């Protein structure tokens, strides 16, 4: 029976994993994760490793829970009152959801970039060093160092180095998104969470961001949600296909896109479904 | 299957075109605009024209009266048979002719500012046009308008000066110069009176010390004080140096009591010579002040005699009427007497015919200021001669000397400016009807600022909690609705509440402890056991809230019951604390010694500001909440994702972003508060305050003083003063000022919002 149909009918399915993915060292391990919005379940028994130093793309039709999963990793869903969860995630070997975990410290170990660029209403400089500011860092030279390092990391330095004290809102959309990436890597996180970072950008800005992701991988483990199949195939090492809150297949990108183990994945990726 | 296709109409319907709706909405808009503009125009015109100096005109009536005044305007009124009875016979016959059998017709009357209140008992008068004997009034060039410290305006002709000889050309200069000197004199008297006040204050402070010692030791000191004072006086009188500490009356008293009494007696004895010399000085200055006055001839007429022939025949035919010669002239004896000289050769006369049988006569001796007479020929027979009543005016009482009929346009502007400056920066005269509004303006500003300081933290913090921390639910919605409804509570209710709660309860508590505020204090054993109980409750509340802790996602919502218990316990602790404070037996107020005179237990600046803060709280909360809601959630998420805590996010992202909106709401609240009158009447505004709420005396801001308020001033001048008619122009001017103040506040809000918004929201894409 078609797995997607089974999922739509509410039956549990077995996720399919490629061995190459399981063989990698995981920076983040998701274990039997369930998430509920009130009574409504949004994620079902998700288990997957996120490989260290690689780009993992989450793909799937709208409403399949990609963003929810991503936002669970740094516990952004805590902000929504009705959310409750089961299962756990491990960052390295430490639980993310155990009671007594300091959420603030946890979030500092992950950087997150959102769908729409959201620079703060302050100068470019202050935007980048914001994670350090909230830690009470006052040392000007260190702040400057981090600012330059992050902006270089986000490939924005050359464009803004002469106007660091102008408002972050004065940049173009693509620049704003790279500014947000610079901000996300300023606290030197282990994992970068990108939630459809290019969906609000034009093709040129998109390609710049993609180049940037290419450059950042290795230094950071990246988990990216995207709707754009080409983008996923271009930039990711691993791809996870999700459907209606369940993980269907997780594998190396090249094989997912050329010879997936499941026909359903192939159908989705080639556009015959979804 | 066939379907009937409805025939398409050639033209679209009236409804579709919407033409009538354009007319309806446009018409309503026009009506709304014209109402607002009408109000603005009225206030602007009345407010701006009040201080403009107008020429002085004199009208003669058929009743043989001479009425003078500044023409303020004219209006229509109903002339009916009944109103005729008030008129004299000549006027009545003319009015009857006009009526021509009808019961009433509409006629016009002039509205004149006559001044000279002490002579006529009125500041203004209405003059029906039907009573005028001539349409053209006389505008005497030499008329003076004296604005005085007391009694309002005086209009008249200068006659002589009490301290020196003057002639027609230099009398104004002499008075101006004397006014300048008198100003110094007035200032000196003020300074002396200020010294007196300071001494008085010192003595009453010393008396308060005695009262405090009395309260602290629970003894009667009045007898000892009287006796000691008597002994000290006796000792002083006999010339021997008295050591007050060793007076027999003070033996046996405790040290603090003795010290207080000694302090008071010493202060009294020490300041006595000073008081005497200051009073002498004041008496001297007052004497000097009374020394210079101007004798004015006012257009209030007294009959001084009769003449056999009318003025137009007083001079022989052919000779100039302006120069009288005793030889040829037939001047009535009354006038010669009044001029104080039988030698009429040097007298120069002018007559102006004001009606068929009415003349204004001026007589001048050499170059002395002219003397005026009013001659009326009654029924073609004898001529009555009237002289103007004289009224001396102290030079030191004159604030401004204006010659309204000699002013050029520029001169009028000068007077106008000087009056406005006095209005804005001067002290009130005549119980606020004249002079400056400075204390009212200052009081309004200070009160509004204090109110802002009070409302700002409350409103913003409460809104922050509601928007950022509280989880949404029916309780929050209920509270939000209640706050919005609070904005609709009539402001007088706030006034009543402020009076009862702030002034009498809190103020009374500060003044004289729980007993004064109406609470029976508990015995100390009861109080201490209650205190212990409360401490336990507080500790338990603390413990429970720690236990209930931050909610854990995996445990569901099982612990929220603990949270509710903690909340209830905290509320109980808070209520208990208030009750304990109200029932404390060891506190009897900070101002017990001043009682029964209240210090804070009455309407005053502090409570007025608190009441208004309560009144504007909904405005601030609603505006702040809206501003917070307008902060994009993506910014909050971005901040949390960077590892910022809730408060860090609020402080660094949310508040700066919401600042324009918060400030706007805040300034709107200020504008609302500044214009509010009803609660002010109850909680601290008074029509005339001698002291400012914020001045240069330590501690500068005097929360316990009553103050003047522009809005309240409008009410009390317009409807409560003895002389509302005279105050009416000032009411409009004060309204204009208040409007300008509020408009300025609103403009600041708009400008601030625009400039801050520009800073935060430049081009997105």
């Amino acid at each position: 029976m078609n797995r997607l149909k089974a999922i739509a009918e509410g039956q549990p399915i077995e996720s399919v994993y490629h061995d190459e993915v399981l063989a990698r060292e995981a920076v983040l391990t998701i274990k039997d994760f369930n998430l509920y919005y009130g009574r409504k379940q949004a994620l079902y028994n998700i288990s997957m490793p996120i490989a260290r130093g690689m780009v993992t793309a989450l793909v799937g039709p709208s409403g399949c829970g990609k963003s929810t999963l991503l936002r669970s990793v740094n516990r952004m869903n805590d902000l929504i009152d009705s959310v409750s969860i089961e299962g756990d995630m491990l960052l390295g070997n430490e639980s993310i959801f155990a009671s007594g975990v300091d959420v603030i410290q946890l979030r500092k170990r992950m950087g997150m970039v959102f769908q729409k660029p959201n620079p703060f209403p302050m100068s470019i400089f202050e935007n980048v060093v914001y994670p350090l500011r909230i830690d009470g860092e006052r040392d000007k030279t260190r702040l400057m160092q981090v600012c330059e390092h992050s902006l270089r990391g986000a490939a924005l330095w050359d464009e803004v180095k002469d106007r660091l004290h102008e408002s972050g809102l004065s940049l173009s959309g693509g620049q704003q998104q790279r500014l947000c990436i610079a901000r996300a890597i300023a606290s030197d996180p282990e994992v970068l969470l990108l939630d459809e970072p290019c969906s609000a950008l034009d093709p040129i800005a998109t390609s710049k961001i993609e180049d940037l992701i290419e450059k950042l991988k290795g230094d950071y483990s990246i988990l990216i949600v995207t709707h754009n199949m080409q983008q996923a195939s271009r930039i990711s090492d691993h791809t996870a296909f999700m459907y209606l809150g369940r993980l269907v297949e997780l594998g190396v990108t090249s094989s997912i896109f050329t010879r997936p183990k499941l026909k359903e994945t192939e159908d989705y990726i080639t556009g015959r479904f979804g | 299957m066939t379907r009937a296709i409805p025939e398409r109409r050639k033209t679209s319907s009236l409804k579709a075109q919407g033409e009538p709706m354009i007319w309806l909405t446009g018409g309503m808009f026009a009506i709304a605009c014209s109402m607002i503009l009408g109000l603005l125009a009225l206030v602007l015109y009345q407010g701006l024209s009040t201080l403009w100096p107008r020429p002085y005109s004199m009208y003669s009536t058929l009743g043989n009266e001479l009425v003078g005044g500044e023409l303020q305007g004219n209006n229509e009124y109903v002339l009916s048979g009944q109103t005729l009875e008030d008129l004299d016979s000549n006027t009545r016959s003319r009015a009857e002719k006009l009526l021509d059998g009808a019961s009433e017709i509409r006629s016009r009357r002039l509205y004149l500012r006559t001044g000279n209140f002490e002579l006529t008992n009125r500041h203004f008068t209405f003059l029906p046009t039907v009573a005028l004997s001539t349409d053209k009034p006389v505008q005497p060039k030499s008329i003076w308008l004296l604005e005085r410290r007391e009694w309002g305006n005086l209009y008249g002709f200068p006659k002589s000066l009490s301290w020196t000889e003057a002639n027609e050309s230099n009398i104004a200069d002499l008075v101006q110069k004397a006014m300048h000197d008198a100003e110094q004199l007035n200032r000196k008297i003020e300074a002396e009176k200020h010294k007196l006040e300071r001494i008085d204050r010192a003595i009453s402070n010393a008396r308060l010390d005695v009262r405090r010692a009395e309260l602290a030791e629970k003894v009667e000191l009045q007898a000892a004080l009287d006796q000691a004072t008597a002994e000290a006086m006796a000792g002083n009188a006999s010339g021997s140096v008295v050591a007050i500490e060793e007076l027999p009356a003070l033996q046996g008293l405790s040290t603090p009591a003795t010290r207080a009494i000694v302090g008071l007696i010493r202060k009294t004895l020490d300041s006595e010579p000073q008081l005497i010399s200051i009073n002498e000085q004041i008496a001297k200055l007052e004497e000097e002040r009374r020394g210079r006055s101007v004798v004015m001839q006012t257009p209030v007429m007294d009959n001084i005699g009769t003449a056999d022939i009318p003025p137009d025949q007083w001079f022989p035919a052919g000779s100039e009427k302006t120069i009288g010669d005793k030889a040829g002239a037939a001047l009535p004896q009354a006038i010669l007497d009044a001029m104080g000289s039988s030698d009429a050769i040097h007298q120069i006369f002018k007559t102006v015919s004001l009606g068929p049988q009415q003349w204004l006569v001026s007589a001048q001796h050499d170059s002395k200021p002219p003397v005026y007479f009013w001659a009326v020929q009654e029924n073609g027979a004898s001529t009555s001669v009237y002289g103007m009543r004289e009224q001396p005016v102290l030079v030191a009482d004159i604030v401004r000397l204006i010659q309204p009929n000699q002013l050029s346009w520029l001169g009028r502007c000068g007077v106008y400016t000087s009056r406005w400056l006095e209005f804005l920066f001067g002290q009130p005269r005549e119980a606020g009807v004249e002079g400056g509004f400075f204390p009212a303006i200052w009081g309004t500003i200070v009160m509004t600022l204090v109110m802002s300081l009070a409302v700002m933290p409350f409103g913003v913090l409460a809104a922050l909690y509601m928007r950022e921390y509280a989880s949404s639910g029916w309780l929050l919605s209920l509270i939000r609705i209640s706050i919005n409804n609070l904005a609709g509570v009539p402001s007088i209710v706030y006034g009543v509440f402020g009076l009862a709660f702030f002034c009498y309860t809190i103020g009374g508590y500060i003044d004289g402890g729980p007993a004064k505020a109406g609470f029976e204090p508990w015995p100390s054993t009861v109080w201490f056991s209650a205190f212990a109980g409360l401490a336990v409750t507080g500790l338990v509340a603390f413990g429970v809230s720690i236990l209930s802790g931050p909610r854990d996602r995996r445990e569901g919502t099982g612990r929220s019951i603990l949270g509710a218990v903690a909340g209830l316990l905290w509320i109980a602790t808070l209520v208990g604390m208030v009750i304990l404070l109200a029932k404390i037996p060891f506190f009897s107020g900070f101002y017990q010694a001043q009682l029964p005179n209240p210090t804070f237990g009455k309407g005053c600046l502090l409570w007025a500001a608190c009441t208004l803060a309560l009144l504007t709280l909904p405005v601030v909360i609603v505006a702040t909440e809206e501003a917070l809601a307008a902060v994009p959630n993506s910014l909050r998420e971005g901040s949390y994702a960077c590892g910022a805590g809730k408060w860090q996010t609020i402080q660094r992202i949310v508040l700066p972003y919401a600042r324009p909106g918060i400030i706007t709401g805040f300034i709107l609240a200020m504008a609302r508060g500044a214009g509010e009158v009803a609660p002010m009447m109850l909680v601290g505004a008074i029509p005339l305050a001698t002291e400012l709420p914020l001045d240069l005396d330590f501690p500068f801001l005097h929360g316990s003083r009553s103050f003047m308020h522009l809005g309240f001033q409008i009410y009390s001048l317009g409807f409560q003063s003895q002389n509302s008619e005279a105050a009416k122009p000032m009411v409009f001017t004060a309204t204009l000022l208040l409007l300008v103040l509020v408009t300025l506040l609103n403009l600041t809000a708009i400008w601030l919002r625009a400039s801050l918004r520009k800073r935060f929201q430049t081009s997105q894409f």
Side-chain angles (χ1 to χ4, degrees), chain A residues 21 212 231:
Chain A
V21 177
L212 176 59
Q231 186 173 59

Side-chain angles (χ1 to χ4, degrees), chain B residues 94 139 155 221 229 241 354 452 458 532 576 715 754:
Chain B
R94 185 200 274 188
Q139 298 195 333
Y155 299 90
L221 291 177
T229 313
V241 179
L354 270 171
S452 321
F458 276 112
Y715 168 73

Side-chain angles (χ1 to χ4, degrees), chain B residues 482-495 497 615 618 672 676:
Chain B
S482 314
I483 288 173
N484 282 327
N485 284 343
L486 269 186
V489 172
S491 54
I492 188 78
V493 175
Y494 284 97
F497 174 79
L615 184 127
R672 164 105 203 263
E676 200 57 71

Side-chain angles (χ1 to χ4, degrees), chain A residues 71 76 78-81 83 87 97-99 104 107-108 110 112 114 118-121 130 133-134 169 173 176, chain B residues 471 552-554 634-635 637-645 648-649 652-653 657 760-765:
Chain A
R71 292 164 61 89
M76 289 299 278
D78 285 15
L79 301 173
I80 303 166
D81 278 334
V83 165
F97 286 95
S99 58
I104 287 175
R107 286 188 188 139
K108 280 179 185 150
M110 308 184 196
M112 188 165 190
F114 297 82
N118 59 348
F120 300 141
Y130 183 78
R133 284 276 189 213
I134 55 179
L169 297 165
Q176 287 190 3
Chain B
S471 50
D552 193 313
R553 293 284 153 199
R554 286 199 290 192
S634 65
L635 287 185
E637 287 186 339
S639 172
Y640 293 135
C642 286
Q648 283 174 319
T649 302
R652 288 170 185 269
I653 306 291
Y657 195 91
F760 283 122
Q761 282 146 306
T762 43
S763 65
Q764 270 290 3
F765 283 96

